[in-house]
Amino acid sequence: MARRDEQRGDRRNRNPEEERDSEIVEKLVHINRVAATVKGGRRFSFAALMVVGDQKGRVGFGHGKAREVPEAIRKATEEAKKSMIRVPLRESRTLHHDGNGRWGAGKVMVRAAPPGTGVIAGGPMRAVLETLGVQDVVGKSVGSSNPYNMVRATFEALKAQSSPRQVAAKRGKKVSDVIGRRADGASAAAAVADAEG
């Protein structure tokens, strides 16, 4: 009886970090078999590239290497959770503005899109944008298709994103002064409410 109460108590006293981890989405982007040539022949191990996100504006990536695939994935996931960044989203569905990212020979472009567009992006870029929680975005990779460089280039493009509130704070102005009238026909009042919400 006491043991059952103990177990119940454990469930109730779960730390908030565990609960936060439970709502994180993990995506395996790429797995690679690598070989190290040693005296006795070749030693094989696996390298995994993972992307994690809470689908509410936080995303991170990591890579891990191990002799077994599950262990490599676990290491990559842990690294990804430590390196999460926050990206401001417009209406919690798209980006605030277009952006470009580059890492090595990997070049990507991301564009904000109207409602109903969906995630138009391929491969590693799609994994990053879906775990970020973007519903409407257009992405294009114009450089190397190496998944490591594509993921890093996508992160460079996302790090450059800034919300109207951040721009207003930087310039020492009101959000309404920064936004003015949007090109998509939304009134300034609606745009301000959207930027602050």
Side-chain angles (χ1 to χ4, degrees):
M1 183 71 181
R3 197 152 144 222
R4 198 181 300 149
D5 289 341
E6 250 177 57
Q7 288 174 340
R8 216 178 281 147
D10 286 348
R11 237 180 277 141
R12 270 189 234 120
N13 300 333
R14 201 183 283 161
N15 65 351
E17 201 170 290
E18 277 181 32
E19 285 175 24
R20 203 168 52 234
D21 285 354
S22 65
E23 58 196 41
I24 284 178
V25 177
E26 302 168 359
K27 285 204 174 186
L28 176 65
V29 177
H30 186 70
I31 197 129
N32 191 23
R33 192 177 82 161
V34 291
T37 307
V38 292
K39 196 163 36 174
R42 285 192 187 141
R43 186 178 293 151
F44 293 102
S45 58
F46 296 90
L49 176 63
M50 291 288 290
V51 173
V52 301
D54 64 356
Q55 296 190 322
K56 293 177 190 146
R58 286 177 69 229
V59 69
F61 78 97
H63 52 92
K65 214 163 140 187
R67 298 292 296 274
E68 301 294 328
V69 174
E71 183 65 12
I73 290 171
R74 187 191 61 76
K75 283 183 183 178
T77 307
E78 273 180 24
E79 190 185 311
K81 283 177 183 170
K82 285 179 196 165
S83 71
M84 285 177 97
I85 61 164
R86 183 166 289 287
V87 180
L89 299 178
R90 185 165 111 203
E91 299 167 12
S92 299
R93 63 162 190 86
T94 189
L95 303 171
H96 280 285
H97 55 84
D98 302 351
N100 294 320
R102 182 175 183 157
W103 190 278
K107 285 182 235 145
V108 300
M109 293 183 290
V110 287
R111 301 191 76 171
T117 306
V119 178
I120 300 174
M125 239 178 127
R126 185 181 194 90
V128 173
L129 295 168
E130 281 178 352
T131 52
L132 176 62
V134 182
Q135 283 131 33
D136 304 302
V137 70
V138 177
K140 176 83 178 142
S141 169
V142 289
S144 162
S145 60
N146 175 343
Y148 288 88
N149 285 354
M150 273 179 78
V151 166
R152 284 198 170 103
T154 307
F155 269 79
E156 289 302 306
L158 293 175
K159 281 178 192 169
Q161 289 288 316
S162 56
S163 69
R165 190 190 295 169
Q166 290 169 333
V167 174
K170 219 180 267 182
R171 293 187 193 170
K173 292 185 171 190
K174 289 187 192 140
V175 176
S176 55
D177 295 340
V178 173
I179 293 175
R181 186 160 176 79
R182 278 231 178 106
D184 60 6
S187 68
V192 170
D194 164 40
E196 289 175 350

